[in-house]
Amino acid sequence: MTMTTTTGKFDAVLTAVLANRFDSIVREMTDTLLRTGRSAVINSARDFSCAITTGDNRLLSAAEGLSVHIFGAQLQSQAMCDAHPDLAEGDAFLDNNPYIGNSHAADHTVLVPVYFEGQHLFTAVAKAHQADIGNSLPTTYHITAKDVYEEGALIFPTVRVQRDYEEVGDIVRMCKARIRVPEQWYGDFLAQIGAARVGERRLKELCAKYGVDTVKEFVENWLNYSEDLIRSEIRKLPARSLHNTARHDALDPVLPDGVPLDVKIDIRSDEGTIVVDLRDNPDNVDCGLNLTEATTRASVYAGVFNSLPTGIPKNSGAFRAVDVLIRDGAIVGRPTFPHSCAIATTNLTDRIINSIGAAFATLGAPHGVAEGAVGMSVSSAVVSGHDARYGGRPYVNQLISGVGGGPGSADADGWVTWGLPCVGGLMYRDSIEVVESKIPMLYEHLRLVPDTGGAGEHRGALAADVAYGPRFDEMTVIFPGDGQETPPRGVRGGLDGVPSRAYLVAADGTQQPLPSAGNVVVRPGETVRGFETSGGGYGDPFARQADLVARDVREGWVTREAALDVYGVVLVDDGVSVRADDEATRTLRSLPRA
């Protein structure tokens, strides 16, 4: 079977086989890193991604990689090639440079150039968020850092860490001397090296089986096919110019008015192109909210892909149809040194992804999505202290114990464990029992809150309420949140999600409110408590099927009061279960609304 692309005809069956083979290599790399990583943020929460780029630095395969990690991997492999004209087989490089290609300093990336028959054909990429990177504060999210110096992270601009498959010990010693949990970092570093080397081995086997010429032909065909596919979907859209705005919470005293954001989208259906203009945004600010070029582009690609059919491959071929307009020195764009980009993967990235999806929703079903949960709340804090169980040994780790309400869409309710827009449900959620065994802390509760999901024809997912505290000695809890002032918005008549909240709870139960972004010491007997944002709803709540509302009530997602007042559904209880009274519901919904 043959198909036609921009370069002519190709074997569709062989192309499908090889595309899945490359994805399977990435999945094997992912499984290797998940099973061998030492820190909980990697081996439990899966805050990492693997990918394959081509030798000429195009993203080829990312499988289930997090969009915010992987949609800029080609920039990092390009930086590796630019910095090392002596690139050779057996090399491995460490990169976390936010100014040239990487997401933010906390994401240590191992890049391994893959050679076959003397040619640099691919680069195996393993990127992982570290539990600690030597920041001036015990957190990888230093939101108030006025510049990269105050942030304090060691920056590695594609530095060689292996040559001839042997470790460059000086780099490892630098990291161990600076990072608070050196052996934990080193275990994660070795896991990344192992994952990248697994990718190298499998890619060599693939080239040996099919031959270099066939593999090269596949690469071009696959990227061109991906481009053709996304352009064909864009041509189905109405030609339209869209505009949306957003606002990040205030960050006193640096940003007392928050951060306004502006997104312009030009759908050029005749060209099969989408142009996203982010140039009308503020200049870099003196805190960690600045995006990198990689996360700016990733936020655009993620927002656009969320608004198009799911079958489009996510690679550099598809990227050709999305033109991203950015400028240097902007908070959303290319950062200028030495501005900090500590929070580049989450807060503003999530706002941009949300804004793009909500803008597409103005086209009507089935396009676009509502806004999903924002802000790394108490449930996603970085906790640190000393563990009395092990002679006061220091610990640092990021928690991923919340859920993050997913947005309603044109055909589905929000995903409960969606997380944040930048990960889109691809990360895992911590096991409370595993966290409590590794860190001297106890969870008081973790629960969903009924009626918090943005109501709609398809409702947003609920918010979570989490509380925890130290077991023995005081614990520092640092979180770079958002969403207390501007919660996720509903679209097309759907209601907004709920705002976030955070509290320090004293031993007597007294709750002291905390800001969106907090740095708090929690002492024994105290707990820190957080309510996450929830997903916005898609469509009029009165258009939701009555039997779905009744099911939500039976399962505890929605209360009976909200079913009646918000959804206009009359319920009856026959002694066995709650069900909708269809005739009474139709009558109620036909009445004028308050």
Side-chain angles (χ1 to χ4, degrees):
M1 177 182 178
T2 59
M3 297 178 66
T4 301
T5 69
T6 52
T7 57
K9 293 184 177 180
F10 74 102
D11 185 329
V13 173
L14 179 61
T15 300
V17 168
L18 287 175
N20 281 280
R21 186 69 186 94
F22 275 94
D23 278 355
S24 72
I25 293 173
V26 174
R27 291 189 179 97
E28 185 176 357
M29 294 168 63
T30 300
D31 193 51
T32 300
L33 186 46
L34 179 66
R35 291 174 178 271
T36 58
R38 188 166 297 180
S39 64
V41 73
I42 292 176
N43 66 30
S44 181
R46 195 183 178 273
D47 193 355
F48 69 85
S49 302
C50 297
I52 297 168
T53 64
T54 62
D56 58 357
N57 306 308
R58 294 173 290 174
L59 179 63
L60 180 64
S61 176
E64 289 91 13
L66 311 183
S67 62
V68 73
H69 282 168
I70 290 308
F71 287 170
Q74 68 280 5
L75 301 176
Q76 290 182 274
S77 62
Q78 181 68 61
M80 175 190 72
C81 293
D82 291 344
H84 296 279
D86 60 341
L87 203 67
E89 186 169 13
D91 282 346
F93 298 89
L94 175 62
D95 179 66
N96 72 331
N97 185 2
Y99 305 104
I100 306 177
N102 192 35
S103 40
H104 70 155
D107 288 335
H108 282 197
T109 308
V110 169
L111 301 106
V112 168
V114 179
Y115 284 80
F116 188 78
E117 296 181 352
Q119 300 180 62
H120 174 204
L121 294 180
F122 304 103
T123 298
V125 181
K127 174 181 289 191
H129 182 100
Q130 304 300 307
D132 186 75
I133 53 171
N135 273 353
S136 59
L137 295 178
T139 177
T140 48
Y141 293 103
H142 193 341
I143 193 170
T144 57
K146 66 181 180 181
D147 54 31
V148 70
Y149 302 114
E150 185 173 326
E151 184 180 347
L154 288 166
I155 302 297
F156 298 98
T158 58
V159 174
R160 185 179 275 110
V161 290
Q162 281 191 338
R163 181 161 232 167
D164 295 328
Y165 297 98
E166 296 293 330
E167 187 176 280
V168 178
D170 289 345
I171 303 301
V172 172
R173 285 193 292 273
M174 286 175 62
C175 290
K176 285 187 174 182
R178 177 63 172 270
I179 290 173
R180 293 173 176 83
V181 281
E183 294 309 316
Q184 178 177 278
W185 169 83
Y186 187 56
D188 290 338
F189 169 77
L190 292 179
Q192 290 183 253
I193 291 286
R197 291 300 183 195
V198 165
E200 176 189 36
R201 186 180 311 125
R202 296 292 181 257
L203 287 167
K204 286 176 176 286
E205 292 170 357
L206 182 70
C207 291
K209 179 176 181 178
Y210 290 96
V212 171
D213 291 340
T214 298
V215 171
K216 284 184 174 181
E217 184 178 11
F218 157 76
V219 168
E220 299 308 318
N221 284 339
W222 182 240
L223 294 178
N224 289 331
Y225 168 76
S226 302
E227 178 184 1
D228 289 346
L229 191 59
I230 188 172
R231 290 193 189 279
S232 69
E233 293 298 334
I234 294 172
R235 289 188 179 99
K236 298 176 185 177
L237 299 174
R240 196 75 57 81
S241 292
L242 309 176
H243 179 241
N244 207 352
T245 59
R247 180 173 293 274
H248 187 282
D249 283 2
L251 181 64
D252 291 329
V254 185
L255 299 167
D257 298 321
V259 181
L261 297 173
D262 186 273
V263 179
K264 298 181 179 68
I265 304 168
D266 188 12
I267 303 174
R268 301 177 181 175
S269 305
D270 56 338
E271 301 174 11
T273 301
I274 293 174
V275 179
V276 179
D277 190 348
L278 299 175
R279 292 174 295 183
D280 192 16
N281 279 296
D283 293 337
N284 285 139
V285 292
D286 296 331
C287 69
L289 285 173
N290 301 288
L291 297 195
T292 64
E293 179 178 359
T295 57
T296 298
R297 293 184 178 279
S299 65
V300 171
Y301 297 144
V304 170
F305 285 131
N306 286 349
S307 304
L308 295 175
T310 58
I312 300 170
K314 282 66 174 177
N315 57 39
S316 287
F319 296 167
R320 297 171 192 158
V322 182
D323 192 5
V324 185
L325 305 181
I326 59 178
R327 63 183 180 88
D328 295 336
I331 192 171
V332 176
R334 295 186 189 91
T336 55
F337 183 86
H339 286 98
S340 172
C341 303
I343 322 295
T345 54
T346 53
N347 296 28
L348 297 190
T349 291
D350 292 331
R351 292 289 187 178
I352 295 295
I353 295 172
N354 273 344
S355 294
I356 293 174
F360 271 92
T362 63
L363 300 177
H367 307 297
V369 292
E371 294 189 353
V374 297
M376 302 183 66
S377 68
V378 164
S379 63
S380 298
V382 176
V383 298
S384 61
H386 294 84
D387 195 337
R389 299 172 300 178
Y390 302 101
R393 184 178 67 189
Y395 66 87
V396 182
N397 194 66
Q398 183 181 355
L399 304 176
I400 306 292
S401 54
V403 292
S409 68
D411 52 15
D413 293 338
W415 189 354
V416 175
T417 56
W418 188 68
L420 291 171
C422 62
V423 301
L426 289 171
M427 280 179 60
Y428 295 162
R429 185 172 59 81
D430 286 334
S431 161
I432 288 177
E433 292 77 13
V434 170
V435 170
E436 290 178 337
S437 70
K438 290 187 174 185
I439 300 173
M441 60 180 289
L442 290 173
Y443 281 86
E444 184 176 281
H445 61 253
L446 173 58
R447 56 201 179 203
L448 296 173
V449 184
D451 290 341
T452 54
E457 181 178 2
H458 295 287
R459 58 167 175 76
L462 275 56
D465 170 14
V466 61
Y468 55 82
R471 291 181 61 184
F472 310 116
D473 302 316
E474 65 182 32
M475 175 172 67
T476 299
V477 178
I478 302 177
F479 53 96
D482 185 19
Q484 288 193 10
E485 299 171 8
T486 308
R489 295 173 295 187
V491 297
R492 304 199 63 76
L495 303 188
D496 295 345
V498 297
S500 62
R501 293 289 182 265
Y503 303 94
L504 177 63
V505 185
D508 63 2
T510 304
Q511 295 192 144
Q512 174 189 341
L514 298 172
S516 291
N519 181 346
V520 59
V521 175
V522 186
R523 295 173 175 80
E526 298 176 335
T527 58
V528 62
R529 184 183 187 187
F531 293 82
E532 298 177 331
T533 56
S534 61
Y538 191 109
D540 183 357
F542 271 37
R544 185 168 178 79
Q545 294 179 26
D547 62 327
L548 294 181
V549 177
R551 183 200 64 184
D552 287 345
V553 172
R554 291 194 300 270
E555 296 184 356
W557 305 99
V558 174
T559 63
R560 294 184 68 131
E561 294 76 15
L564 182 67
D565 297 338
V566 179
Y567 288 98
V569 174
V570 179
L571 299 173
V572 294
D573 190 340
D574 59 11
V576 178
S577 66
V578 175
R579 60 180 178 82
D581 184 325
D582 293 334
E583 183 176 350
T585 296
R586 283 193 295 270
T587 300
L588 176 60
R589 286 180 168 181
S590 68
L591 298 175
R593 300 193 205 182

